[in-house]
Amino acid sequence: MSHDKSPEQLVLDKLVRMANQIATFFMSQPENVRAEGVATHINKFWEPRMRRQFFEHLDRGGAGLMPLVIEASVLIRRPEAKAGSGVGVGEDAKGAPGGKGPGAGESLSEPSIPEGAA
């Protein structure tokens, strides 16, 4: 029985494998840029859903992840971070002064509809 795993576990296995492949590549780079390289790659190319699943796995212990991936995780943006955790949240995540935007709780993916205009 080779397909005993849930679809969620299969996706997670793939994310772990991908993260480890990225780390393996960056192991050939100078030590002082490895973790930043892994984090930059994941921040640029992994969609928020993938990063969310990555952090859920990491928060449960991160089984199977290479030490370099775990080291880089502090530099990877959490897509729906709790206040004050992760990179790019808190003071870094505020919108323009006096303006609206993601820092004010607006989503960039939804149109702005004035109240009462529905």
Side-chain angles (χ1 to χ4, degrees):
M1 296 181 132
S2 60
H3 295 307
D4 291 351
K5 296 183 177 183
S6 68
E8 293 81 14
Q9 186 61 49
L10 291 172
V11 168
L12 185 57
D13 289 350
K14 185 174 183 179
L15 286 176
V16 168
R17 188 169 56 252
M18 289 169 57
N20 286 342
Q21 287 173 333
I22 295 164
T24 298
F25 170 81
F26 281 101
M27 288 300 290
S28 67
Q29 304 298 311
E31 190 172 345
N32 63 331
V33 299
R34 291 176 185 171
E36 185 176 344
V38 171
T40 297
H41 181 91
I42 290 174
N43 283 332
K44 273 186 165 180
F45 298 108
W46 285 24
E47 62 185 39
R49 178 180 50 90
M50 293 170 67
R51 286 184 280 120
R52 186 176 315 109
Q53 292 168 324
F54 168 79
F55 279 111
E56 287 170 358
H57 178 63
L58 191 64
D59 291 344
R60 289 190 302 265
L65 291 171
M66 292 175 60
L68 179 56
V69 176
I70 294 169
E71 179 185 344
S73 69
V74 298
L75 303 171
I76 298 170
R77 286 189 309 274
R78 285 184 179 255
E80 292 177 355
K82 298 179 183 92
S85 67
V87 175
V89 299
E91 289 299 315
D92 296 337
K94 292 193 174 176
K100 292 189 177 184
E106 283 188 349
S107 169
L108 295 177
S109 63
E110 297 174 2
S112 293
I113 301 172
E115 287 185 32

